Amino acid sequence: MRVLAAAVAVVALLIPTSARAEVEPIAFRYEASGACPSESEFLEAVRALTKRWSLVPAGTSEVRTIRVRMAAAPSKATGRLVIADTSGTSSERDIVLPTCTEVKQALAVMVAVAIDPRAGTADETEPTPREGTREAEPRVEPVVLPHPEQRAATAPISTTPAPSTRSPVTLDLRVELTSAVLRGGLVGLGASMTLELPTPVRTQGIYLLWPSIGLGFRQSLPKERSLRGGSAEFIWRAGQLRFCPLRVAIHALAEVSSCVETNLGALRGSAEGLPDARNLSSFWADIGGSVWAAVNLSERFFLSSTVLMTLPLVRQPFALASGASVASVPPLGVLGGIGIGAKL
């Protein structure tokens, strides 16, 4: 209710209105993206507040033109209202609210009050058709809201587009542990960049079918193994490619993605202190399924985690020149990681 009251005050203070019980012809233009309401739903919300208007084709002369734009994002929704009078002078207003439903309600009130300052009130009378030319519109006293809503409602109108509420690109850094490369496990670092594909499907604040593509890099810390008479050291490096066809975002709190990913790189081993020691580098490739999750700390930063069940495609064992085995690759492994990320 505070949002709707503020919207009424903004329009009453800043946008010229008409106080007569007449039907005003209005040219209307509407744009919406994501899961925002359709044009017919928005016009129905306006008509529920006032019937003192009729819709005419866009571009009709000698009528006011109202433009409404809405866009939805997981954490916020934005709206813009532009009202242009017959002389070409326009007034603009940008709003940012948690959901597209709230943006629709606020903009519907603002449009209704711009047409009729008594929209939705008990003293509203039945409209009569307008005849002849438009008369001079009387001044309407502004609606005064109590503190602190009045300060927010009377803020200066922005003439610049509303800022984007979400970037389609995210970056996260993780500490990881994998048992898929060598028996016994490797500790390493991972970094990935994710590009979200547009227009998720939304239902009741939950976003579904929201695909993304990720590219990354993984680097293990050196893993040393003691051998009789010497030692061996292993390092794993790989590039990561991840595709997540299904992603679920619960309001602005958390996100979970199910993904298919592959790692391509090299596993390098070297032995020291042995008479038959040698260095060996093996091509690495694996493929598996993963679950990626994030908990938002703020609009920009989040905690991330990933769990990957992967199948190594190359399992070349590491052996000394004598043929003695030093290390082997397991047939199936698990990689887990936790880190922090940012929306760029």
Side-chain angles (χ1 to χ4, degrees):
M1 294 300 296
R2 295 175 60 185
V3 171
L4 299 183
V8 172
V10 168
V11 175
L13 286 169
L14 301 169
I15 301 177
T17 57
S18 174
R20 296 161 310 191
E22 298 178 350
V23 175
E24 178 184 1
I26 295 292
F28 188 79
R29 295 180 180 178
Y30 182 83
E31 298 178 31
S33 63
C36 286
S38 64
E39 179 176 351
S40 60
E41 291 175 311
F42 183 82
L43 293 178
E44 185 177 334
V46 176
R47 195 168 293 279
L49 296 169
T50 180
K51 297 180 175 61
R52 296 191 177 105
W53 60 283
S54 63
L55 199 62
V56 298
T60 302
S61 59
E62 299 302 322
V63 299
R64 286 197 292 175
T65 299
I66 296 179
R67 297 179 178 88
V68 172
R69 180 185 302 165
M70 282 190 278
S75 57
K76 288 183 180 180
T78 61
R80 162 166 280 206
L81 172 65
V82 180
I83 299 181
D85 61 22
T86 55
S87 66
T89 304
S90 63
S91 300
E92 302 178 6
R93 178 71 182 179
D94 293 322
I95 59 174
V96 180
L97 293 172
T99 66
C100 219
T101 299
E102 293 176 85
V103 171
K104 182 198 76 171
Q105 293 172 342
L107 289 178
V109 171
M110 294 167 72
V111 171
V113 174
I115 298 172
D116 174 18
R118 293 170 297 180
T121 60
D123 63 344
E124 182 181 4
T125 58
E126 191 68 23
T128 58
R130 172 175 294 187
E131 297 179 0
T133 59
R134 179 179 297 180
E135 302 173 3
E137 297 181 346
R139 172 180 172 81
V140 178
E141 293 299 322
V143 179
V144 179
L145 294 179
H147 178 82
E149 288 87 346
Q150 186 176 15
R151 293 201 309 268
T154 57
I157 293 179
S158 171
T159 58
T160 59
S164 174
T165 58
R166 183 180 181 91
S167 168
V169 179
T170 59
L171 174 68
D172 70 300
L173 305 174
R174 302 173 306 279
V175 176
E176 299 178 335
L177 174 64
T178 177
S179 65
V181 181
L182 291 176
R183 295 185 187 275
L186 286 176
V187 177
L189 301 175
S192 62
M193 179 176 290
T194 301
L195 174 64
E196 299 170 358
L197 302 182
T199 315
V201 176
R202 177 185 180 221
T203 173
Q204 299 298 321
I206 298 178
Y207 290 76
L208 306 170
L209 300 178
W210 189 7
S212 64
I213 297 175
L215 295 174
F217 181 78
R218 288 186 164 117
Q219 164 78 62
S220 76
L221 301 179
K223 174 76 172 183
E224 185 173 348
R225 287 190 174 179
S226 298
L227 303 172
R228 182 177 298 178
S231 64
E233 185 178 80
F234 299 92
I235 295 180
W236 176 61
R237 297 186 181 93
Q240 171 200 11
L241 175 62
R242 180 181 68 214
F243 175 65
C244 304
L246 175 62
R247 189 173 189 181
V248 178
I250 304 173
H251 296 281
L253 301 179
E255 302 171 12
V256 179
S257 300
S258 60
C259 314
V260 176
E261 64 178 270
T262 182
N263 294 289
L264 301 174
L267 175 60
R268 180 177 178 81
S270 61
E272 297 180 354
L274 300 171
D276 54 353
R278 64 175 182 175
N279 296 333
L280 180 63
S281 181
S282 172
F283 172 72
W284 179 268
D286 66 33
I287 189 168
S290 65
V291 175
W292 181 90
V295 177
N296 293 319
L297 302 176
S298 66
E299 291 185 9
R300 181 173 294 274
F301 297 101
F302 58 89
L303 294 177
S304 67
S305 64
T306 185
V307 177
L308 166 66
M309 182 73 71
T310 185
L311 176 68
L313 302 179
V314 178
R315 297 182 58 208
Q316 180 177 347
F318 284 77
L320 301 176
S322 62
S325 177
V326 176
S328 61
V329 178
L332 186 66
V334 178
L335 181 148
I338 186 169
I340 189 168
K343 302 163 188 176
L344 303 182

